[in-house]
Amino acid sequence: MSELIWTGPLNDGQRIGGHVGLYDTTLRDGEQTVGVVLDPAQKLEIAGLLDSLGVDRIEAGFPRVSAEDWEAVSLIAAAGLRAEIWGFSRAVPADLEALVELGVRFSVIEAPISDLKLDAIGVSRETMLERIARALRFAAEHGIHAAYFGVDSTRAEPDFYRRAYSTALEAGAAELVVVDTLGIASPESVGELVAATVELAGPGVPVHFHGHNDFGLATASAVAAVRAGAAYIQGTINGMGERAGNASLGEVALALRALYGVESNLRLDRIRAVSKRVAELSRTVLEPWKPLTGETLYRRESGAVASQFHDPPSIEPYSSALVGATRSIVLGKKSGLDSIRIKAVELGLELPEERHAELLAAVKKRSLEQRGLVSDEEFAALVRAGAR
């Protein structure tokens, strides 16, 4: 794939290699996007799409939220997907019993550990440690492979953070998740906390990073976590999630591969189709300029860029083939003579070179009048009108 990535040698000193696992929480944390409601059939469809992408682990949902969530977890667990199917639970007996009843073999178990969260729910540190221990022991005794998920762990007091995660390990946690619930940690701080957690966990205990995007740093923080030894990155399709959303798994996978030489199992050539379908099902809208999946990523209006359209590495950091996109020229206010030439050839229109300047002026005038692009049909009509 390196022949499809044109980033140059600048990042060579930052390449770390290796492989990272991807854990998708679109069906749980992603559905927490305001106004998004997915029914069991839709969740099953999305799970299948995630599986086709090569996602390693799919969090099927939080079964105790509703009867529909229970049904969705049951359907996905029985679908025979390649990915590991994970549940989600609080450190609450009824949540854990639901996992056992459903036969869920893998689950995140969450409990808040920042003083801000503990004060808000009126629970002392010692009581929370007891809840963590009971929950992880229950999971271990019932054959559930559990990852302890310390809610708001990036704002926890450092000594209590260590106590909470040590308690979870001693009680049987098989994995640990560093959680930037409110997206407040700088990438550098994420790296330090993940490194400390990897050391605390010891060999054989994978550490995840789960980050939100409140400061626009979720992808950068995920990269920092991988550099610090995180075995899994948690995220969602399109970065869906509460408030500013989560890390976008596609963006994380692309950045890691292209800039740091870290591979994952994600099929980047399928991400745009999956992104579009998830947006349709969730009734959300993608920003057109969004990295990896935005509709304008490979559409060129600028005349200066159009003059280099024949040479993709000169105007793009990675090939459209890498992400399954189509390159195109569009016409508008910013077009140039090369834009006119390329579009005429694309549409099979007979257009002598001496008419290019005339058509460019007409295109710019039309674009300004309608404050937008000039469609292929409009351009063809302009060409025909001038030929009479």
Side-chain angles (χ1 to χ4, degrees), residues 88-132:
F88 184 89
S89 166
R90 297 165 297 180
V92 173
D95 288 7
L96 297 163
E97 290 160 4
L99 297 178
V100 174
E101 186 175 343
L102 279 165
V104 174
R105 296 177 50 239
F106 305 93
S107 186
V108 158
I109 296 177
E110 72 155 27
I113 57 172
S114 72
D115 288 332
L116 285 164
K117 291 286 189 184
L118 294 175
D119 290 345
I121 62 175
V123 175
S124 70
R125 287 182 176 184
E126 295 306 318
T127 297
M128 187 54 69
L129 290 177
E130 292 169 5
R131 290 184 183 180
I132 292 168

Side-chain angles (χ1 to χ4, degrees), residues 38-355:
L38 299 167
D39 65 33
Q42 291 172 324
K43 287 192 173 186
L44 180 61
E45 179 182 348
I46 290 173
L49 293 171
L50 295 172
D51 201 49
S52 74
L53 271 182
V55 168
D56 303 281
R57 294 173 166 184
I58 300 171
E59 191 173 273
F62 183 6
R64 293 228 32 244
V65 166
S66 68
E68 285 201 336
D69 286 272
W70 183 292
E71 181 185 353
V73 174
S74 180
L75 286 172
I76 294 167
L81 301 180
R82 178 204 60 81
E84 282 183 1
I85 306 303
W86 282 60
F88 184 89
S89 166
R90 297 165 297 180
V92 173
D95 288 7
L96 297 163
E97 290 160 4
L99 297 178
V100 174
E101 186 175 343
L102 279 165
V104 174
R105 296 177 50 239
F106 305 93
S107 186
V108 158
I109 296 177
E110 72 155 27
I113 57 172
S114 72
D115 288 332
L116 285 164
K117 291 286 189 184
L118 294 175
D119 290 345
I121 62 175
V123 175
S124 70
R125 287 182 176 184
E126 295 306 318
T127 297
M128 187 54 69
L129 290 177
E130 292 169 5
R131 290 184 183 180
I132 292 168
R134 281 198 302 269
L136 272 300
R137 278 198 298 269
F138 180 95
E141 290 165 359
H142 289 80
I144 297 172
H145 182 101
Y148 172 62
F149 186 102
V151 176
D152 208 19
S153 55
T154 53
R155 295 197 298 175
E157 189 275 325
D159 286 341
F160 186 65
Y161 177 98
R162 286 189 290 273
R163 287 183 67 195
Y165 280 79
S166 295
T167 296
L169 285 169
E170 291 164 6
E175 307 189 15
L176 301 176
V177 188
V178 176
V179 189
D180 193 14
T181 302
L182 297 180
I184 60 87
S186 69
E188 295 81 3
S189 296
V190 167
E192 290 175 2
L193 188 57
V194 168
T197 307
V198 168
E199 183 177 1
L200 175 69
V205 178
V207 172
H208 304 216
F209 175 69
H210 177 109
H212 284 256
N213 201 37
D214 294 78
F215 289 89
L217 292 171
T219 296
S221 292
V223 169
V226 173
R227 290 177 67 92
Y232 287 92
I233 294 299
Q234 298 193 359
T236 61
I237 298 301
N238 299 335
M240 292 174 65
E242 203 163 354
R243 302 182 321 279
N246 291 50
S248 167
L249 283 185
E251 291 178 21
V252 171
L254 176 63
L256 285 170
R257 173 183 291 184
L259 306 180
Y260 296 89
V262 178
E263 292 296 329
S264 71
N265 291 327
L266 198 76
R267 290 285 306 273
L268 289 171
D269 60 325
R270 298 183 182 181
I271 190 67
R272 289 172 66 90
V274 171
S275 169
K276 180 180 179 181
R277 182 56 180 155
V278 170
E280 291 171 350
L281 290 171
S282 60
R283 300 180 182 180
T284 54
V285 178
L286 285 176
E287 294 172 334
W289 48 80
K290 193 168 181 63
L292 183 61
T293 57
E295 67 176 25
T296 62
L297 197 63
Y298 291 96
R299 297 173 73 190
R300 303 289 179 241
E301 180 187 354
S302 168
V305 175
S307 67
Q308 303 167 55
F309 191 72
H310 64 286
D311 184 24
S314 70
I315 55 174
E316 294 156 9
Y318 50 89
S319 171
S320 59
L322 183 68
V323 296
T326 301
R327 303 176 74 243
S328 65
I329 289 286
V330 293
L331 300 178
K333 170 190 172 183
K334 298 176 284 293
S335 294
L337 290 172
D338 280 321
S339 307
I340 300 300
R341 175 184 56 78
I342 293 169
K343 182 58 70 174
V345 171
E346 177 190 320
L347 298 178
L349 300 172
E350 291 289 338
L351 187 62
E353 186 174 350
E354 58 267 23
R355 288 197 60 207

